Amino acid sequence: MMDAIDRVPVLADVAAAAGVSLSTVSRVITGRAPVSEKTRSRVMEAVAQLGYRPNAAAQALVNGRSSTVAVIANHTLRWGYAATLHGIEEQARAAGFSVMIAVVESSDPAEVRRAIDGVWSQPIAGAVVIDFDAVGAATLDALPHNVPVVAASGAWQPGADRPHAYLDDFEGARQATDYLLSLGHHTVHHVAIPSTSEHSGREWGWRRALTDAGRVVPDVVRAGYDPESGYAAAERLDPGATAVLCGNDEVAIGVARRLQERGVSIPRDVSLMGFDDQPFAAMWVPSLSTVGQDFVGLGKRTFAMLHSWILSNEQPAHSTVLPRLVLRQSTAGPRPGA
Amino acid sequence: MMDAIDRVPVLADVAAAAGVSLSTVSRVITGRAPVSEKTRSRVMEAVAQLGYRPNAAAQALVNGRSSTVAVIANHTLRWGYAATLHGIEEQARAAGFSVMIAVVESSDPAEVRRAIDGVWSQPIAGAVVIDFDAVGAATLDALPHNVPVVAASGAWQPGADRPHAYLDDFEGARQATDYLLSLGHHTVHHVAIPSTSEHSGREWGWRRALTDAGRVVPDVVRAGYDPESGYAAAERLDPGATAVLCGNDEVAIGVARRLQERGVSIPRDVSLMGFDDQPFAAMWVPSLSTVGQDFVGLGKRTFAMLHSWILSNEQPAHSTVLPRLVLRQSTAGPRPGA
DNA sequence: CTGAAAGCGCTTACAG
DNA sequence: CTGAAAGCGCTTACAG
């Protein structure tokens, strides 16, 4: 049992132990000025012995900048969010930055304000906003302009003044829809996840592909993010549908489960595509065709943009990566006669 | 396009704008001393107009304490870790704390040291270590004792001097194994995930149940954390197994997929149990019996313990919650004659 | 109720 | 190469 919390050693303790001035200790710690080898090793010894670590608050105060970045997001648990956070963290860590997370629960102005105040009162060098939904968008709008902010986002949005790293899910949805049409389906139905704006990139991409091909655009079936919501949404799906594109893999798996329970065979009766290529997509029976999105890579790109802004003080350009179709067993041509 | 980053207003700016002293502004901001209503509103106006937010680095420095806590973990993406982090974050946010995440990639001493230095140089009020694996354990051992630290853990471990919030997966595994035996299986096989110590709570609980029942303890099949590793592990499973307990649901789903591909029927030929009850467990066909673990609750309890330590300066006691069996369709008695 | 002053732990010119 | 001093932005006794 160890109740007592020892006093944290400070610079002055090291200086006293090593018998040198504060300035000298600071110089060996920062390495930003020459120090004799003898003094240096004496200081290092004291540092090691006392277990001294510079106080980041004091450093941040005097340096006028910190090496922590904040990640602001509506979720940390859903696949896309968690994977993006993971990518940001990894890249930040490699660059010597710490990361702080701030969850914004809703786009209610008071809640957004609370979150922003919490983050902005911290000594941060910059922030990334995960702009996958309406909450992210609302946060982005409310953010002060005195710290670099980069957004990680699905599809390009008009009028974004902040730098964005995109995944282009608009294009992914369009390609997926085109693919399904190319298989011979008359049209493609869509089970949507909640989205940033009224219409997400995914929904718009799907819609565009159908319109361009001159096909009927069926009513969208709205779902949440998880398998259960897909399961429920399957009830509202047009019974005549032969091809369905879902807003994410979780929803697709829920839809699949419900259809299979009803004796609908995938892909014989219905072709099903997910979105994201999250770890379970390949495991499902039949394995799920989907649109592969590199969220970890998105996170890394986003941090890299923020980092360059912090270092150079020049706002970076947007960046985009195209998703790729991952074709597995859940898609096929319609049954002859369907 | 907004390249310029405005200068951040400081306390002195507000004082100047309101025509009062620094002390007065500080008093209205902190609310820790009486200020006349007239002065107060004048100051608030200046604050609002300038968009002033106290500099957290300065506050942390002068207050000698901060309101951010660090979460130290080996992963942020796997279900149990992510859900625990989520619980911590939620509880911390409710208490007005910010959370910083620090990922420790391996138990290599240099890596552990790097992570700890990074965290300990920040102004933190406390830390929680997610102690689900060997890396968590190594980190816990290396942590200084000058800041409150609480660990979130699976099963009770001998000699833990730091407060732990447990989930008791030992007991969960024991109950799951007992249940499988009660169905009539001669023994239960185990596909293990990587673990804290040589033997995890899950593995020990399984082992204990078999030993207590006087059954044969089969060789453990080792897997990773994800479906793919379960899929691969299925190849190494004893073909005579009629009941299998997996270290987590992801692995169980991988095992299920492989078995089903080989024409093995679940639960007719093999009963399969997972662990954790993560969102996909209920979706699989057949839906997966598992051990429900409340990771979000674990995270909340862990933060609550840390919070009480921070406030009271008294080290909290350990806390434990028992898991519960979630029985679904993947378990049944052995086939007559099996 | 309000202001002037000291101090939190650092870094960085400024002198030697 | 090394030390004394000022200052980063706050808060908090200490005087009025």
Side-chain angles (χ1 to χ4, degrees):
Chain A
M1 279 296 179
M2 169 101 34
D3 270 55
I5 294 294
D6 318 336
R7 191 175 75 80
V8 179
V10 298
L11 198 70
D13 299 323
V14 178
V20 296
S21 72
L22 298 185
S23 324
T24 298
V25 177
S26 181
R27 286 186 192 107
V28 352
I29 300 286
T30 63
R32 283 201 273 262
V35 175
S36 83
E37 193 39 46
K38 208 177 108 200
T39 314
R40 184 189 151 63
S41 66
R42 199 135 47 89
V43 170
M44 288 311 282
E45 221 168 88
V47 165
Q49 196 212 303
L50 295 174
Y52 170 75
R53 290 183 191 77
N55 176 320
Q59 287 185 316
L61 183 58
V62 64
N63 289 330
R65 62 198 158 63
S66 83
S67 56
T68 108
V69 297
V71 177
I72 307 177
N74 185 19
H75 297 117
T76 61
L77 207 44
R78 303 193 193 293
W79 173 251
Y81 297 79
T84 303
L85 173 61
H86 175 73
I88 294 168
E89 189 283 327
E90 200 163 295
Q91 194 79 5
R93 177 152 39 89
F97 278 70
S98 297
V99 359
M100 165 151 285
I101 61 178
V103 171
V104 190
E105 287 238 306
S106 76
S107 39
D108 171 58
E111 161 66 5
V112 170
R113 166 133 220 89
R114 182 208 59 71
I116 293 178
D117 282 349
V119 173
W120 250 248
S121 67
Q122 304 292 134
I124 55 167
V128 355
V129 175
I130 299 192
D131 184 20
F132 290 167
D133 50 45
V135 175
T139 306
L140 218 38
D141 283 343
L143 245 34
H145 279 271
N146 52 17
V147 163
V149 173
V150 176
S153 182
W156 180 84
Q157 289 150 35
D161 61 334
R162 318 254 192 187
H164 275 66
Y166 295 111
L167 227 32
D168 206 348
D169 53 6
F170 175 94
E171 190 53 31
R174 174 146 79 162
Q175 286 181 17
T177 307
D178 278 345
Y179 170 71
L180 256 6
L181 292 179
S182 79
L183 254 24
H185 296 278
H186 292 316
T187 189
V188 175
H189 290 250
H190 184 50
V191 180
I193 58 173
S195 62
T196 301
S197 36
E198 196 182 339
H199 300 289
S200 73
R202 299 176 188 197
E203 182 172 337
W204 271 137
W206 159 77
R207 209 177 275 281
R208 168 69 72 83
L210 292 180
T211 311
D212 283 359
R215 305 306 171 86
V216 175
V217 179
D219 285 346
V220 173
V221 177
R222 307 265 165 214
Y225 291 102
D226 33 55
E228 287 68 26
S229 78
Y231 187 89
E235 299 299 332
R236 282 171 279 126
L237 205 50
D238 181 343
T242 66
V244 180
L245 173 65
C246 295
N248 73 21
D249 294 330
E250 285 83 346
V251 166
I253 285 175
V255 169
R257 159 115 212 196
R258 185 69 191 105
L259 292 181
Q260 289 170 330
E261 277 179 7
R262 290 207 307 242
V264 175
S265 163
I266 299 171
R268 200 172 52 95
D269 302 320
V270 172
S271 280
L272 189 66
M273 276 194 87
F275 220 107
D276 293 348
D277 195 22
Q278 70 103 280
F280 283 100
M283 281 293 125
W284 192 259
V285 183
S287 61
L288 202 61
S289 293
T290 187
V291 180
Q293 301 231 106
D294 183 8
F295 286 110
V296 175
L298 174 69
K300 292 187 177 192
R301 272 192 292 137
T302 311
F303 178 81
M305 288 166 64
L306 183 62
H307 193 202
S308 103
W309 192 352
I310 292 169
L311 293 182
S312 71
N313 204 27
E314 270 176 51
Q315 179 167 327
H318 300 308
S319 112
T320 303
V321 162
L322 292 179
R324 62 186 198 300
L325 296 189
V326 177
L327 303 177
R328 290 196 273 241
Q329 303 164 346
S330 67
T331 44
R335 254 198 313 183
Chain B
M1 281 298 180
M2 171 99 34
D3 270 56
I5 295 295
D6 318 335
R7 190 175 76 82
V8 179
V10 297
L11 198 71
D13 298 322
V14 178
V20 297
S21 71
L22 298 185
S23 324
T24 299
V25 178
S26 181
R27 286 187 191 105
V28 353
I29 301 286
T30 63
R32 282 200 273 263
V35 175
S36 82
E37 192 41 46
K38 208 178 106 201
T39 314
R40 185 191 150 60
S41 67
R42 200 136 44 89
V43 170
M44 288 311 282
E45 222 169 87
V47 165
Q49 196 213 301
L50 296 173
Y52 170 75
R53 288 188 190 74
N55 176 318
Q59 287 186 315
L61 183 58
V62 64
N63 288 330
R65 63 198 157 62
S66 82
S67 56
T68 110
V69 296
V71 177
I72 308 177
N74 185 20
H75 297 116
T76 61
L77 207 44
R78 304 193 192 294
W79 173 253
Y81 297 80
T84 303
L85 173 61
H86 175 73
I88 295 167
E89 189 283 328
E90 201 162 294
Q91 193 80 4
R93 177 153 39 91
F97 278 69
S98 297
V99 359
M100 164 151 285
I101 61 178
V103 171
V104 191
E105 287 238 305
S106 75
S107 38
D108 172 58
E111 162 65 6
V112 170
R113 166 134 221 89
R114 181 208 59 72
I116 293 177
D117 282 351
V119 173
W120 250 247
S121 67
Q122 304 292 135
I124 56 167
V128 355
V129 174
I130 299 192
D131 184 21
F132 290 168
D133 51 43
V135 174
T139 305
L140 218 38
D141 284 342
L143 244 35
H145 279 271
N146 51 18
V147 164
V149 173
V150 176
S153 182
W156 180 84
Q157 289 149 35
D161 61 336
R162 318 256 190 186
H164 275 65
Y166 295 111
L167 228 32
D168 206 347
D169 53 6
F170 175 95
E171 190 52 31
R174 175 147 78 162
Q175 286 180 15
T177 307
D178 278 346
Y179 170 70
L180 255 6
L181 292 179
S182 79
L183 254 23
H185 296 278
H186 291 315
T187 189
V188 176
H189 290 249
H190 183 51
V191 180
I193 57 172
S195 61
T196 302
S197 35
E198 196 181 340
H199 300 288
S200 73
R202 298 175 189 197
E203 183 173 335
W204 270 139
W206 160 77
R207 208 176 276 280
R208 168 69 73 83
L210 291 181
T211 310
D212 283 357
R215 303 305 171 88
V216 175
V217 180
D219 285 345
V220 173
V221 176
R222 308 264 164 214
Y225 291 101
D226 33 55
E228 286 70 25
S229 78
Y231 187 89
E235 299 299 333
R236 282 172 277 126
L237 205 50
D238 180 342
T242 66
V244 179
L245 172 65
C246 295
N248 72 20
D249 293 330
E250 285 84 346
V251 165
I253 285 174
V255 168
R257 159 115 213 198
R258 185 68 192 107
L259 292 181
Q260 289 169 329
E261 278 180 7
R262 289 209 306 243
V264 175
S265 163
I266 299 171
R268 198 173 52 94
D269 302 321
V270 172
S271 280
L272 189 66
M273 277 194 88
F275 220 106
D276 294 347
D277 196 22
Q278 71 104 278
F280 283 100
M283 281 294 125
W284 191 259
V285 182
S287 61
L288 202 60
S289 293
T290 188
V291 179
Q293 300 232 105
D294 183 7
F295 285 111
V296 175
L298 174 69
K300 291 188 177 189
R301 273 192 291 137
T302 310
F303 178 81
M305 288 166 65
L306 183 62
H307 193 202
S308 103
W309 192 352
I310 291 168
L311 293 181
S312 71
N313 204 27
E314 269 176 53
Q315 177 167 327
H318 300 307
S319 112
T320 303
V321 162
L322 291 180
R324 62 186 198 299
L325 296 189
V326 178
L327 303 178
R328 290 195 274 242
Q329 302 164 347
S330 68
T331 44
R335 253 199 313 184

